[in-house]
């Protein structure tokens, strides 16, 4: 399938001492906008959360701190403003080397404006029951 | 089917269309809860290798909330119509992905109902198995 719902920018994932910084894109022609909503396109909340998951997965390839985690949910997520079109998004996930906590703080911004933040539940080893 | 039930079409209760309309049927809707049915499709978002990411279950619950709020608007002055998801108090799923073809039954209960704000507790199940519990907050601008 050639369509692109969303993607990380090539080379756009950086692992820092305090966490992951990623640049990601939701193209203007993403199927997310095909019906969400007709004549009033809004970036769905799950699209922003998917960018966060994508950043963690990409970081797992370069840092052990992100590896071995399975995303099992989110909590205390706030959507701060409505984003009406695609573009390039900045994703941050707080994750220190050797961190054992299940809940990882994250944020997604565009053009310096905070779109959403909260906690991603990603226990080491998955924790799915 | 009663005359009132003919209004309970998915298209009549939610604004989502095209590939972002995930619900198939409104099974039940009243002042307290809404139950919907949806079948996981390869045309859904975040579908890969025959399954969708469990994250999409949040959208399934959000669309069920939208249906509940629209129904409520038609029957009261409480929150309804074009509302927006503003928060996820908690979302947790029991498996990382859901196979294409799975039939989902989603039940949403309106826990807090105010004029322009609501809290909704959603549970998504398939074949009797609970797949996710998701609590959403929504506002009407």
């Amino acid at each position: 399938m050639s369509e692109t719902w969303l993607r990380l920018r090539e080379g756009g994932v950086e692992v820092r001492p305090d966490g992951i910084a990623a640049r990601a894109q939701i193209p203007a022609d993403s199927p997310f906008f095909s019906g969400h909503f007709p004549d009033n396109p809004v970036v769905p909340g799950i699209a922003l959360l998917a960018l966060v998951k994508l950043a963690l997965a990409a970081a797992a390839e370069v840092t052990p701190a992100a590896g071995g985690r399975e995303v099992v949910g989110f909590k205390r997520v706030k959507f701060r403003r409505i984003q009406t079109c695609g573009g390039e998004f900045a994703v941050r996930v707080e994750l220190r080397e050797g961190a054992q906590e299940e809940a990882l703080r994250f944020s997604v911004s565009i053009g310096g404006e905070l779109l959403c933040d909260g906690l991603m539940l990603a226990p080491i080893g998955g924790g799915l029951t | 089917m009663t005359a009132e039930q003919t209004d309970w079409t998915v298209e009549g209760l939610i604004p989502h269309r095209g590939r972002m309309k995930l619900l198939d049927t409104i099974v039940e809707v009243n002042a307290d809860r809404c139950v919907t049915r949806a079948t996981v499709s390869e045309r859904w978002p975040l579908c890969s290798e025959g399954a969708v990411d469990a994250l999409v279950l949040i959208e399934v619950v959000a669309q069920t909330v939208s249906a509940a709020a629209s129904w409520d608007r038609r029957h009261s002055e409480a929150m309804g119509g074009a509302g927006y998801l503003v928060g996820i108090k908690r979302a947790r799923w029991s498996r990382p992905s859901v196979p294409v073809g799975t039939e989902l039954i989603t039940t949403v209960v309106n826990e807090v109902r105010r004029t322009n704000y609501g809290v909704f507790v959603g549970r998504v199940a398939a074949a009797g198995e609970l797949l996710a519990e998701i609590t959403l907050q929504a506002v009407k601008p």
Side-chain angles (χ1 to χ4, degrees):
Chain A
M1 196 176 289
S2 61
E3 65 187 2
T4 301
W5 291 76
L6 49 78
R7 61 185 167 226
L8 289 177
R9 187 168 171 179
E10 194 170 337
V13 178
E14 183 183 353
V15 177
R16 301 171 177 170
D18 62 344
I20 303 160
R23 286 180 293 170
Q25 296 169 323
I26 301 176
D29 60 353
S30 168
F32 275 124
F33 298 118
S34 70
H36 192 279
F37 303 96
D39 304 321
N40 182 28
V42 172
V43 175
I46 61 162
L48 301 178
L49 300 181
L51 296 180
V52 179
K53 275 195 71 176
L54 207 54
L56 180 69
E61 297 176 4
V62 293
T63 176
R69 290 179 180 269
E70 183 81 59
V71 177
V72 299
F74 288 85
K75 67 178 183 181
R76 287 163 31 198
V77 177
K78 296 292 183 191
F79 296 99
R80 307 285 181 177
R81 59 188 285 261
I82 294 167
Q83 177 65 23
T84 57
C85 61
E88 184 163 300
F89 299 78
V91 180
R92 295 276 293 117
V93 181
E94 290 183 12
L95 181 64
R96 289 172 177 79
E97 196 67 40
Q100 298 294 310
E101 67 265 34
E102 170 181 310
L104 305 177
R105 187 166 299 283
F106 73 88
S107 66
V108 182
S109 306
I110 188 166
E113 296 276 352
L114 179 63
L115 293 178
C116 78
D117 58 348
L119 297 170
M120 173 169 54
L121 305 177
I124 296 169
L128 293 172
T129 56
Chain B
M1 182 176 285
T2 68
E4 186 177 40
Q5 282 177 313
T6 59
D7 291 336
W8 299 353
T9 62
V10 172
E11 291 80 2
L13 289 177
I14 70 173
H16 308 71
R17 294 292 184 270
R19 297 180 64 181
M20 285 302 292
K21 183 181 80 68
L22 306 185
L23 305 184
D24 296 330
T25 313
I26 307 293
V27 177
E28 175 189 340
V29 58
N30 57 48
D32 299 318
R33 69 182 207 150
C34 182
V35 181
T36 62
R37 182 181 291 117
T39 303
V40 177
S41 162
E42 70 278 357
R43 290 178 55 79
W44 281 21
L46 311 179
C47 184
S48 175
E49 298 177 355
V52 298
D53 192 306
L55 183 58
V56 175
L57 299 179
I58 294 176
E59 181 65 23
V60 173
V61 171
Q63 294 189 13
T64 304
V65 166
S66 179
S70 289
W71 186 93
D72 209 32
R73 178 176 58 88
R74 296 179 185 188
H75 292 79
S76 73
E77 293 302 311
M79 182 191 157
Y84 289 104
L85 175 65
V86 293
I88 301 171
K89 291 185 78 168
R90 185 173 180 82
R92 189 145 186 149
W93 40 83
S94 60
R95 53 171 72 186
S97 62
V98 185
V100 166
T102 302
E103 184 179 89
L104 306 175
I105 300 294
T106 301
T107 302
V108 160
V109 175
N110 193 344
E111 190 174 71
V112 175
R113 181 192 298 145
R114 296 185 188 141
T115 303
N116 62 351
Y117 173 76
V119 176
F120 301 84
V121 178
R123 292 181 175 84
V124 186
E129 178 191 355
L130 182 63
L131 298 183
E133 288 188 289
I134 296 164
T135 302
L136 303 180
Q137 300 159 290
V139 297
K140 179 184 172 186

Coordinates of all heavy atoms in Angstrom, one line a residue, chain B residues 51-115:
Chain B
A51 N -3.6 -6.5 10.6 CA -4.1 -6.1 11.9 C -4.0 -4.6 12.1 O -3.1 -4.0 11.5 CB -3.4 -6.9 13.0
V52 N -4.8 -4.0 12.9 CA -4.7 -2.6 13.2 C -4.1 -2.4 14.6 O -4.3 -3.2 15.5 CB -6.0 -1.8 13.1 CG1 -6.6 -1.9 11.7 CG2 -7.0 -2.3 14.1
D53 N -3.3 -1.3 14.7 CA -2.8 -1.0 16.0 C -3.9 -0.8 17.0 O -4.9 -0.2 16.7 CB -2.0 0.3 15.9 CG -1.1 0.6 17.1 OD1 -1.6 0.6 18.2 OD2 0.1 0.8 16.9
A54 N -3.7 -1.3 18.2 CA -4.8 -1.2 19.3 C -5.1 0.3 19.6 O -6.1 0.6 20.1 CB -4.3 -1.9 20.5
L55 N -4.2 1.2 19.3 CA -4.4 2.6 19.4 C -5.7 3.1 18.8 O -6.4 4.0 19.2 CB -3.2 3.4 18.9 CG -3.1 4.9 18.9 CD1 -3.1 5.3 20.4 CD2 -1.8 5.3 18.3
V56 N -6.1 2.4 17.7 CA -7.3 2.8 16.9 C -8.5 2.6 17.8 O -9.6 3.2 17.5 CB -7.3 2.0 15.6 CG1 -8.6 2.3 14.8 CG2 -6.1 2.4 14.7
L57 N -8.4 1.7 18.8 CA -9.6 1.5 19.6 C -10.0 2.8 20.3 O -11.2 3.0 20.7 CB -9.3 0.4 20.7 CG -9.0 -1.0 20.0 CD1 -8.7 -2.0 21.1 CD2 -10.1 -1.5 19.1
I58 N -9.1 3.7 20.5 CA -9.4 5.0 21.1 C -10.4 5.7 20.2 O -11.4 6.3 20.6 CB -8.2 5.9 21.4 CG1 -7.3 5.2 22.4 CG2 -8.5 7.3 21.7 CD1 -6.0 5.9 22.7
E59 N -10.1 5.7 18.9 CA -11.0 6.3 17.9 C -12.3 5.7 17.8 O -13.4 6.3 17.7 CB -10.3 6.3 16.5 CG -11.1 7.0 15.4 CD -11.3 8.5 15.6 OE1 -10.5 9.1 16.3 OE2 -12.3 9.1 15.1
V60 N -12.4 4.3 18.0 CA -13.7 3.6 18.0 C -14.5 4.1 19.2 O -15.7 4.4 19.0 CB -13.4 2.1 18.0 CG1 -14.8 1.4 18.2 CG2 -12.7 1.6 16.8
V61 N -13.9 4.2 20.3 CA -14.6 4.8 21.5 C -15.0 6.2 21.3 O -16.1 6.6 21.6 CB -13.7 4.6 22.8 CG1 -14.4 5.3 23.9 CG2 -13.6 3.1 23.1
A62 N -14.1 7.0 20.7 CA -14.4 8.4 20.5 C -15.6 8.6 19.5 O -16.5 9.5 19.7 CB -13.2 9.2 19.9
Q63 N -15.7 7.7 18.5 CA -16.9 7.8 17.6 C -18.1 7.4 18.3 O -19.2 7.9 18.0 CB -16.6 7.0 16.3 CG -15.4 7.7 15.5 CD -15.2 7.1 14.1 OE1 -16.1 6.3 13.6 NE2 -14.1 7.4 13.5
T64 N -18.0 6.4 19.2 CA -19.2 6.0 20.0 C -19.6 7.1 20.9 O -20.8 7.3 21.1 CB -18.9 4.7 20.7 OG1 -18.5 3.7 19.8 CG2 -20.1 4.2 21.5
V65 N -18.7 7.8 21.5 CA -19.0 9.0 22.3 C -19.7 10.0 21.5 O -20.7 10.6 21.9 CB -17.7 9.6 22.9 CG1 -17.9 11.0 23.5 CG2 -17.1 8.6 24.0
S66 N -19.2 10.2 20.3 CA -19.8 11.2 19.4 C -21.3 10.9 19.1 O -22.2 11.7 19.1 CB -19.0 11.3 18.0 OG -19.6 12.2 17.2
A67 N -21.5 9.6 18.9 CA -22.9 9.1 18.6 C -23.8 9.4 19.9 O -24.9 9.9 19.8 CB -22.9 7.7 18.2
A68 N -23.2 9.0 21.0 CA -24.0 9.2 22.3 C -24.3 10.7 22.5 O -25.4 11.1 22.9 CB -23.2 8.7 23.5
A69 N -23.3 11.6 22.2 CA -23.5 13.0 22.5 C -24.5 13.6 21.5 O -25.4 14.4 21.9 CB -22.2 13.7 22.3
S70 N -24.5 13.1 20.2 CA -25.5 13.6 19.2 C -26.9 13.2 19.6 O -27.8 14.0 19.5 CB -25.1 13.1 17.9 OG -24.0 13.7 17.4
W71 N -27.0 11.9 20.1 CA -28.3 11.5 20.5 C -28.8 12.3 21.6 O -30.0 12.7 21.7 CB -28.3 10.0 20.9 CG -29.6 9.4 21.2 CD1 -30.4 8.7 20.3 CD2 -30.3 9.4 22.4 NE1 -31.6 8.4 21.0 CE2 -31.5 8.8 22.3 CE3 -30.0 10.0 23.7 CZ2 -32.5 8.6 23.3 CZ3 -30.9 9.8 24.7 CH2 -32.1 9.2 24.5
D72 N -27.9 12.6 22.6 CA -28.3 13.4 23.8 C -28.8 14.8 23.4 O -29.7 15.3 23.9 CB -27.1 13.4 24.7 CG -27.5 13.6 26.2 OD1 -28.6 13.0 26.5 OD2 -26.8 14.2 26.9
R73 N -28.1 15.4 22.4 CA -28.5 16.7 22.0 C -29.9 16.7 21.4 O -30.6 17.7 21.6 CB -27.5 17.2 20.9 CG -27.9 18.6 20.3 CD -26.8 19.0 19.3 NE -26.7 18.1 18.2 CZ -27.4 18.1 17.1 NH1 -28.3 19.0 16.9 NH2 -27.1 17.3 16.1
R74 N -30.3 15.6 20.8 CA -31.6 15.6 20.2 C -32.7 15.4 21.3 O -33.9 15.6 21.0 CB -31.8 14.4 19.2 CG -30.9 14.6 18.0 CD -31.0 13.5 17.1 NE -30.0 13.6 16.0 CZ -30.0 12.8 15.0 NH1 -30.8 11.8 14.8 NH2 -29.1 13.0 14.0
H75 N -32.3 15.0 22.5 CA -33.3 14.7 23.5 C -33.1 15.6 24.7 O -33.9 15.5 25.7 CB -33.1 13.3 24.0 CG -33.5 12.3 22.9 ND1 -32.7 12.0 21.8 CD2 -34.7 11.6 22.7 CE1 -33.3 11.1 21.0 NE2 -34.5 10.9 21.5
S76 N -32.1 16.5 24.8 CA -32.0 17.4 25.9 C -31.1 18.6 25.5 O -30.6 18.7 24.4 CB -31.3 16.7 27.1 OG -30.0 16.4 26.8
E77 N -30.8 19.4 26.5 CA -29.9 20.6 26.2 C -28.5 20.2 26.7 O -27.7 21.1 26.7 CB -30.4 21.8 27.0 CG -31.8 22.3 26.5 CD -31.7 22.7 25.0 OE1 -30.7 23.4 24.6 OE2 -32.5 22.3 24.2
A78 N -28.3 19.0 27.1 CA -27.0 18.6 27.5 C -26.0 18.6 26.3 O -26.4 18.8 25.2 CB -27.0 17.2 28.2
M79 N -24.8 18.2 26.6 CA -23.8 18.3 25.6 C -24.1 17.4 24.4 O -24.6 16.3 24.5 CB -22.4 17.8 26.1 CG -21.3 17.8 25.1 SD -19.9 16.9 25.7 CE -19.1 16.6 24.1
G80 N -23.9 17.9 23.2 CA -24.2 17.1 22.0 C -23.7 17.9 20.8 O -23.2 19.0 20.9
G81 N -23.9 17.3 19.6 CA -23.5 18.0 18.4 C -22.0 17.8 18.2 O -21.3 16.8 18.5
A82 N -21.4 18.8 17.5 CA -20.0 18.8 17.1 C -19.1 19.0 18.3 O -18.7 20.2 18.6 CB -19.7 19.8 16.0
G83 N -18.8 18.0 19.1 CA -17.9 18.1 20.2 C -16.5 17.7 19.8 O -16.2 17.1 18.7
Y84 N -15.5 18.0 20.6 CA -14.1 17.6 20.4 C -13.5 16.9 21.6 O -13.8 17.2 22.7 CB -13.3 18.9 20.1 CG -13.6 19.5 18.8 CD1 -14.3 20.7 18.7 CD2 -13.1 19.0 17.6 CE1 -14.6 21.3 17.5 CE2 -13.4 19.6 16.4 CZ -14.1 20.7 16.4 OH -14.4 21.3 15.2
L85 N -12.8 15.8 21.2 CA -12.0 15.1 22.2 C -11.0 16.0 22.8 O -10.1 16.6 22.1 CB -11.3 13.9 21.6 CG -10.4 13.1 22.4 CD1 -11.2 12.4 23.5 CD2 -9.7 12.0 21.5
V86 N -11.0 16.2 24.1 CA -10.0 17.1 24.8 C -9.1 16.4 25.7 O -8.0 16.9 26.1 CB -10.6 18.3 25.5 CG1 -11.3 19.2 24.6 CG2 -11.6 17.8 26.6
G87 N -9.4 15.1 26.1 CA -8.5 14.4 27.0 C -8.8 13.0 27.0 O -9.9 12.5 26.7
I88 N -7.7 12.2 27.4 CA -7.9 10.8 27.6 C -7.4 10.6 29.1 O -6.3 10.7 29.4 CB -6.9 10.0 26.7 CG1 -7.3 10.2 25.3 CG2 -7.0 8.5 27.1 CD1 -6.3 9.6 24.3
K89 N -8.4 10.3 30.0 CA -8.0 10.1 31.4 C -7.2 8.9 31.5 O -6.2 8.8 32.2 CB -9.3 10.0 32.2 CG -10.1 11.3 32.3 CD -11.2 11.2 33.3 CE -10.7 11.3 34.7 NZ -11.9 11.5 35.7
R90 N -7.7 7.9 30.8 CA -6.9 6.6 30.8 C -7.4 5.7 29.7 O -8.6 5.6 29.4 CB -7.2 5.9 32.1 CG -6.4 4.6 32.3 CD -6.6 4.0 33.7 NE -5.9 2.8 33.9 CZ -4.6 2.7 34.3 NH1 -3.9 3.8 34.5 NH2 -3.9 1.6 34.4
A91 N -6.4 5.1 29.0 CA -6.7 4.1 28.0 C -5.7 3.0 28.1 O -4.5 3.2 28.2 CB -6.5 4.8 26.6
R92 N -6.3 1.8 28.2 CA -5.4 0.6 28.3 C -6.0 -0.5 27.5 O -7.2 -0.8 27.5 CB -5.2 0.2 29.7 CG -4.2 -0.8 30.0 CD -3.4 -0.6 31.3 NE -2.3 -1.6 31.4 CZ -1.2 -1.3 32.0 NH1 -1.0 -0.2 32.6 NH2 -0.2 -2.2 32.1
W93 N -5.1 -1.2 26.7 CA -5.6 -2.3 25.9 C -4.9 -3.6 26.3 O -3.8 -3.5 26.9 CB -5.5 -2.0 24.4 CG -4.2 -1.3 24.0 CD1 -3.0 -1.9 23.8 CD2 -4.0 0.1 23.8 NE1 -2.1 -0.9 23.4 CE2 -2.7 0.3 23.4 CE3 -4.9 1.2 23.9 CZ2 -2.2 1.6 23.1 CZ3 -4.4 2.4 23.6 CH2 -3.0 2.6 23.2
S94 N -5.5 -4.7 25.9 CA -5.0 -6.0 26.4 C -4.1 -6.7 25.3 O -3.5 -7.8 25.6 CB -6.1 -6.9 26.8 OG -7.0 -7.2 25.7
R95 N -4.1 -6.2 24.1 CA -3.2 -6.8 23.1 C -2.8 -5.7 22.2 O -3.5 -4.7 22.0 CB -4.0 -7.9 22.3 CG -5.3 -7.4 21.7 CD -5.9 -8.5 20.8 NE -6.4 -9.6 21.5 CZ -6.9 -10.7 20.8 NH1 -6.9 -10.7 19.5 NH2 -7.4 -11.7 21.5
P96 N -1.6 -5.8 21.5 CA -1.1 -4.7 20.8 C -1.8 -4.4 19.5 O -1.7 -3.3 19.0 CB 0.4 -5.1 20.5 CG 0.4 -6.6 20.6 CD -0.7 -7.0 21.6
S97 N -2.5 -5.4 18.9 CA -3.1 -5.1 17.6 C -4.4 -6.0 17.6 O -4.5 -7.0 18.3 CB -2.2 -5.4 16.5 OG -1.8 -6.8 16.5
V98 N -5.3 -5.7 16.6 CA -6.5 -6.4 16.5 C -6.6 -6.8 15.0 O -6.5 -6.0 14.1 CB -7.7 -5.5 16.8 CG1 -9.0 -6.3 16.8 CG2 -7.5 -4.9 18.2
P99 N -6.8 -8.1 14.7 CA -6.8 -8.6 13.4 C -8.0 -8.0 12.5 O -9.1 -7.8 13.1 CB -7.0 -10.1 13.5 CG -6.6 -10.4 14.9 CD -6.9 -9.2 15.7
V100 N -7.7 -7.8 11.3 CA -8.8 -7.5 10.3 C -9.9 -8.5 10.3 O -9.6 -9.7 10.4 CB -8.2 -7.3 8.9 CG1 -9.2 -7.3 7.8 CG2 -7.2 -6.1 8.8
G101 N -11.1 -8.1 10.3 CA -12.2 -9.0 10.4 C -12.8 -9.1 11.7 O -13.9 -9.6 11.9
T102 N -12.1 -8.7 12.8 CA -12.6 -8.8 14.1 C -13.9 -7.9 14.3 O -13.8 -6.7 13.9 CB -11.6 -8.4 15.2 OG1 -10.4 -9.2 15.0 CG2 -12.1 -8.5 16.6
E103 N -14.9 -8.4 14.9 CA -16.1 -7.6 15.1 C -16.0 -7.0 16.6 O -15.9 -7.8 17.5 CB -17.4 -8.4 15.0 CG -18.6 -7.6 15.2 CD -19.9 -8.4 15.0 OE1 -20.4 -8.9 16.0 OE2 -20.4 -8.4 13.9
L104 N -16.1 -5.7 16.6 CA -15.9 -5.0 17.9 C -17.3 -4.6 18.4 O -18.1 -4.0 17.7 CB -15.0 -3.8 17.8 CG -13.6 -4.0 17.1 CD1 -12.9 -2.7 17.0 CD2 -12.8 -5.0 18.0
I105 N -17.5 -4.8 19.7 CA -18.7 -4.3 20.3 C -18.2 -3.2 21.4 O -17.4 -3.6 22.3 CB -19.5 -5.3 21.0 CG1 -20.0 -6.4 20.0 CG2 -20.7 -4.7 21.8 CD1 -21.0 -5.8 19.0
T106 N -18.6 -2.0 21.2 CA -18.1 -0.9 22.0 C -19.3 -0.4 22.9 O -20.3 0.0 22.3 CB -17.5 0.2 21.2 OG1 -16.4 -0.4 20.4 CG2 -17.0 1.3 22.1
T107 N -19.1 -0.3 24.2 CA -20.1 0.2 25.1 C -19.5 1.5 25.7 O -18.5 1.4 26.3 CB -20.5 -0.8 26.1 OG1 -21.0 -2.0 25.5 CG2 -21.6 -0.3 27.0
V108 N -20.3 2.6 25.6 CA -19.8 3.8 26.3 C -20.9 4.3 27.3 O -22.1 4.3 26.9 CB -19.6 4.9 25.2 CG1 -19.7 6.3 25.8 CG2 -18.3 4.7 24.5
V109 N -20.5 4.6 28.5 CA -21.4 5.1 29.5 C -21.0 6.5 29.8 O -19.8 6.8 30.0 CB -21.2 4.2 30.8 CG1 -22.1 4.8 31.9 CG2 -21.7 2.8 30.5
N110 N -22.0 7.4 29.8 CA -21.8 8.8 30.1 C -21.7 9.0 31.6 O -22.7 8.9 32.3 CB -23.0 9.6 29.6 CG -22.7 11.1 29.5 OD1 -21.7 11.5 30.2 ND2 -23.5 11.8 28.8
E111 N -20.5 9.2 32.1 CA -20.2 9.2 33.6 C -20.5 10.6 34.1 O -21.0 10.8 35.2 CB -18.8 8.8 33.8 CG -18.5 8.6 35.3 CD -17.1 8.0 35.5 OE1 -16.1 8.8 35.2 OE2 -16.9 6.9 35.8
V112 N -20.1 11.6 33.4 CA -20.3 13.0 33.8 C -21.0 13.8 32.6 O -20.4 13.7 31.5 CB -19.0 13.7 34.2 CG1 -19.3 15.2 34.5 CG2 -18.3 13.0 35.3
R113 N -22.1 14.4 32.8 CA -22.8 15.1 31.7 C -23.1 16.5 32.2 O -23.9 16.7 33.1 CB -24.1 14.4 31.4 CG -24.9 15.0 30.3 CD -26.3 14.5 30.2 NE -26.3 13.0 29.8 CZ -27.2 12.2 30.3 NH1 -28.1 12.6 31.1 NH2 -27.1 10.9 30.0
R114 N -22.5 17.5 31.5 CA -22.8 18.9 31.7 C -23.1 19.5 30.4 O -23.0 18.9 29.3 CB -21.6 19.6 32.4 CG -21.3 19.0 33.8 CD -20.2 19.7 34.5 NE -19.8 19.0 35.7 CZ -18.6 18.9 36.2 NH1 -17.6 19.4 35.5 NH2 -18.4 18.2 37.3
T115 N -23.5 20.8 30.4 CA -23.9 21.4 29.2 C -22.9 21.3 28.0 O -23.2 21.1 26.9 CB -24.2 22.9 29.5 OG1 -25.2 22.9 30.5 CG2 -24.8 23.6 28.2

